[in-house]
Amino acid sequence: MTPSETLTLPGLSAPGSIGIDRNGIPHIRAENEADLFFLQGFHAARERLFQIDLFRKRGLGLLSADFGPGYIEQDRASRLFLYRGDQAAEFAAYGPEAEASFTAFTKGINAFIAMTEADPSLLPVEFGLLGTKPAVWAAGDVSRIRTHSLSRNALSEILRCQVYGKADHRTDLLRRYLEPKIAPAVPEGLDPATIPLAALDVVKLATANATFSPERLAATLDEAPKWRATTDLLEVVLDAQYTGSNNWAVHGSKTDTGLPILASDPHRIHGMPSLRTIVHLTCPGLDVVGAGEPSVPGVMIGHNGTIAWGLTIFYIDQEDVYFYETHPEDCDLYRYGEGWERVRTVEERIKVKGCDDQILTLKFTRHGPVVHEDPVAGRLYAVRAAYFEPGTAPYLVAHKLMRAKNLAEFRAAAVTWGTPSCNLVYADTAGDVAWMPAGINPIRPNWDGLLPVPGDGRYEWAGWRDRAQAPLVHNPARGFVFSANEMNVPAGWDHKAYPFGYEWVDYSRATRIEEVLGSVAPHTLSTSRALQTDVVSIPARRLGKLLAGLTPSDPDTAAAIAMLAGWDHALTSMSAAGALFEVWWSRHLKKALWNAIVAPELHALMVPGDVDGTLAILEDPDDRFGSDPAAGRDAILAASLGAAFGEMQRLLGPDPAAWAWGKLHHGFFEHPLSFLLSEATAKAWAIGPVPHAGSSVTPMHTGYRGTDFRTMMGSSFRLVVDLADFDRSVTINTPGQSGDPRSPHYRDLFARWAAGDYAPLPYTAAAVDGALESRLDLKPG
């Protein structure tokens, strides 16, 4: 019999339960939807209260009250990007049940907070370390925060100007490759060289996580401006370029069961606890299981016993940077049309720990928040974004998706999706599979969206493209649909009549996924598991073909070529050739290429280097390599590979037989407040290090930090759904389901995740009951 305890919970209208299975997955049962989402919020707070409290305070711009002046600038940035529109329209956009669900969810969070006030021992230890308390939630807090959607493509517009100001379009393709192929048109009135990099600071800060250090926590009011840039450019660029995901749905005609198999693994920056949490929600009329974010009700990726769905980022351009000429006598007036328009100013009083209340001045043009002021140049800079519209909070339309029972209902929900723009893959027990893009898409009548534009009225959005006219792929002849953030708009699509965007993730993961899905028959649950954890590197394969023609005289280069020639291009943790290749690729080849054809002052802007842009120029060298481009290219390949071989000897010793990728590349999770812990506790709460396979270009995405090869982002959560038998579905989340270091489910999934293994995801009542290790029975108070 499952061990159980009973708790009386004020706010609950009828009995319910939260069963925890052996892997920490909660199976929440209630007699009505209000109680179901109430209990989801309650459980999210019980397991992740510090995480969701910090998420709320960061997103709403409330950090300074808890942590002091070092967070004033971040609060200001966050408040600039809040949803400030009509709240009734906002709730309505997510479906008729949304307001009631969001309200119940936040009441559940508040119910647990009330319990911690009555019994402080329930409070997560992080609050004690920082001397703070959790705050009460309101229903609107679920959706007002928009900063998870700040992704495309304000950052790149400004970086492109930096490159264009010193070089040209060909050079910028090494930073960010474009598809369909286009030479961005410089808008009338723009001199790219005049756009400052500082215009990025507030945008970066609005997207940054709340970070902690002794210096920041001790900052004074005078030192507050120092913390305007809490994250460096490289971190933001890596996040923008490597945030991705994989998903696919295989038709029953290609599977061993005759019904579809669906897989989804979103890729995001890793954290402790993880961004995602797995949950099973059951009440009359709704029975859905999968993953979401602990601060949001419902399930974003999963199945409901009839349909299953997954998502990845689809790169619609949803942002634009505007710059404005200001009046010479009044910097709050900006040129618009034939006259001048005044900036709208909002002043907000905030509490600051240890100080008097401060006034934050927020400025907005007709297009959006002012992110930079340059009085010397007489300019303002603002961001216009699709996510300021009602119904565009990140992922919340999933509240509709999880209720669909067939493709028509799913598609009807998908065409209301706002942000972030996504590839949705779908499968159901009727046998259908489908792919469709989803996301609000602005119409730009007279520019391509790749560079900043004057805000004087010449470059205005003309509404939104009809999302119902976006493509749909349904039961294709090849028997599967998939996406991996590549440019995957179907062949023949008219990009001029209906554009989406031009900046995508490289084809590497997509190429490998398509290769496996098209060659393995029949497809099984094990096939999807193996593909989600596949570590074959397509760039390694492509570069191996270029190396095959080299005959170097340098012994190190010759030894390196021989070593790579016999390799299967799989970046396993034990692979010596894989270690050599990644050191060459990440530390030597791209740098040697830039040294040869890119001005030195632009090298920092190239990092990490676009995969497709880099491979394109190496496979088809041009005049930048000299009078004999192929020979010039080969010299770069040989010299950089020889240098990488030498570094490998310094890193892992002189004997290549002793090298292994996992001796460099490792998974490691450190508690975010480790600097406040004793050395012994910090070590006990850390997880890892463990040797890790893969890279950012393999289906098992394990993007790493170049300085120490530590995995920083990738698929912390994975799901494979068997539509023929939902109880055979599997999942994984790392490092565990709980954010409490004292919980047995704080780290229990880490070893399996690192090894590419899974946990079962039971769905039917009998399977769930057989998997439970504990149950909390809840009675109305």
Side-chain angles (χ1 to χ4, degrees), residues 387-409:
Y387 43 75
F388 293 129
E389 297 296 311
T392 58
Y395 304 107
L396 278 181
V397 171
H399 199 74
K400 292 181 183 178
L401 299 182
M402 70 183 186
R403 300 173 184 278
K405 293 297 185 180
N406 54 52
L407 180 57
E409 292 179 5

Side-chain angles (χ1 to χ4, degrees), residues 153-202:
N153 64 341
L155 171 75
S156 191
E157 288 184 26
I158 293 174
L159 292 177
R160 184 167 289 110
C161 285
Q162 307 304 305
V163 178
Y164 276 31
K166 300 178 178 67
D168 54 18
H169 173 57
R170 294 195 305 178
T171 301
D172 192 57
L173 292 177
L174 294 173
R175 180 194 66 83
R176 204 74 163 108
Y177 204 61
L178 301 178
E179 280 199 277
K181 288 184 170 55
I182 184 175
V186 177
E188 182 182 353
L190 170 66
D191 176 0
T194 66
I195 303 296
L197 200 58
L200 283 177
D201 285 347
V202 169

